[in-house]
């Protein structure tokens, strides 16, 4: 018998919110989402606000995540943070291989693989992102691109690692553009990724959560979550206001 996967909604604040703004946002969210959000919720503020936000989330079911990490444990890597540093700031999760990291900061599938490994070894849950560009979709290569990103970025993991892995399907053309994948497009990609995961890890892949990310807003969330393949969402812009993030969490929770 397969156990239903509990949905997860993660808010990626990107380079937004000073500490004072972060505190206000978290207070707004907690007012609406406590005592029980109805699904798992992870907030990913900028590094500078992690500790402050961790104090506010302590004792609540909401979790804290970083937006990136370095794969080394420590050393002369100016501007970088390690898994242990994120954990010590209260993080349980970390986003890895976001398309903005890939496109703007030169991350590749091999570096994603090293970062996912470092996150898991450091006791964090890696939220690993994959997704095709518009040119790749338009030329009919979406599923090949996803398969390659999966194999190169995640293929080295063992079934035992899966309780520390969440996958996020984020079509690059839908991130921050106001353009969504349709529920059908998202579900097709999720099915392909799940098939890849089953081929790699067998039955252990049934528990792997696959999130959708790309301009998820309150108006489109119910349609996306009508697809059983979607185990939640990675939300950028709409995670910056309680008025838009809370309805997405509620839609993921099924109400
Ligand atoms: C993201 O940052 O992962 C994202 C999906 O952003 P947005 O929701 O703004 O498209």
């Amino acid at each position: 018998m397969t156990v239903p996967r509990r949905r997860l909604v993660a808010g990626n604040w990107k380079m937004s919110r000073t500490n004072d703004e972060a505190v206000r946002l978290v207070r707004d969210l907690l007012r609406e989402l406590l005592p029980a959000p109805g699904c798992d919720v992870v907030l990913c503020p900028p590094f500078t606000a992690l500790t402050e936000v961790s104090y506010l989330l302590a004792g609540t079911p909401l979790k804290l995540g970083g937006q990136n990490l370095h794969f080394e444990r420590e050393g002369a890597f100016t501007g970088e943070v390690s898994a242990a540093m994120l954990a010590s700031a209260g993080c349980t999760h970390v986003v890895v291989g976001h398309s903005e990291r890939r496109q703007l900061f030169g991350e590749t599938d091999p570096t994603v693989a090293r970062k996912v490994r470092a996150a898991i070894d450091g006791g964090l849950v890696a939220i690993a992102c994959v997704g095709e560009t518009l040119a790749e979709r338009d030329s009919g290569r979406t599923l090949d691109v996803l398969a390659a990103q999966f194999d190169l970025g995640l293929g080295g993991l063992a079934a035992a690692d899966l309780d520390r892995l969440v996958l996020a399907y984020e079509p690059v053309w839908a991130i921050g553009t106001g353009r969504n994948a349709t529920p059908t497009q998202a579900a097709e990609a999720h099915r392909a990724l799940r098939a890849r995961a089953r081929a790699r890890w067998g039955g252990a892949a049934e528990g792997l959560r696959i999130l959708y990310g790309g301009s998820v807003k309150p108006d489109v969330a119910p349609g996306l979550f009508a697809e059983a393949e979607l185990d939640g969402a990675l939300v950028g812009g709409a995670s910056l206001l309680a008025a838009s993030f809370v309805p997405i969490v509620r839609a993921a929770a099924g109400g």
Side-chain angles (χ1 to χ4, degrees), residues 27-248:
R27 288 204 172 119
D28 288 348
L29 291 171
L30 292 178
R31 206 174 299 120
E32 300 272 345
L33 292 175
L34 292 184
C39 66
D40 290 343
V41 175
V42 181
L43 304 182
C44 304
F47 292 145
T48 42
L50 284 173
T51 302
E52 192 112 34
V53 171
S54 81
Y55 296 143
L56 296 172
L57 298 188
T60 80
L62 281 71
K63 306 283 188 208
L64 186 66
Q67 298 176 16
N68 180 32
L69 83 167
H70 197 276
F71 45 74
E72 296 290 353
R73 286 168 187 263
E74 70 176 6
F77 302 105
T78 301
E80 297 290 330
V81 302
S82 68
M85 289 168 185
L86 291 176
S88 75
C91 291
T92 49
H93 292 67
V94 60
V95 177
V96 179
H98 190 280
S99 68
E100 287 153 16
R101 299 293 319 169
R102 292 174 187 259
Q103 295 202 310
L104 304 174
F105 301 100
E107 287 195 15
T108 60
D109 293 320
T111 56
V112 169
R114 295 182 74 182
K115 288 182 176 208
V116 169
R117 184 74 265 158
I120 293 173
D121 290 347
L124 300 172
V125 175
I127 303 175
C129 304
V130 295
E132 80 287 359
T133 62
L134 190 56
E136 288 163 344
R137 174 162 284 272
D138 286 347
S139 59
R141 287 184 291 138
T142 296
L143 299 187
D144 291 341
V145 168
L146 296 182
Q149 289 178 341
F150 179 96
D151 290 353
L152 294 170
L154 307 170
L157 298 178
D161 294 320
L162 291 194
D163 53 1
R164 295 206 173 275
L165 180 70
V166 171
L167 199 51
Y169 167 59
E170 296 214 305
V172 177
W173 48 273
I175 297 177
T177 59
R179 236 186 110 173
N180 305 104
T182 64
T184 307
Q185 287 171 322
E188 181 197 29
H190 282 226
R191 270 193 298 275
L193 287 166
R194 173 92 42 212
R196 205 87 190 159
R198 279 194 192 110
R200 177 71 187 85
W201 298 302
E206 298 309 324
L208 176 69
R209 289 185 286 190
I210 307 180
L211 315 182
Y212 168 75
S215 297
V216 178
K217 309 279 184 231
D219 56 334
V220 295
L224 287 163
F225 291 129
E227 295 290 343
E229 280 82 5
L230 272 62
D231 301 316
L234 180 53
V235 184
S239 71
L240 292 172
L241 289 175
S244 44
F245 192 61
V246 169
I248 294 171

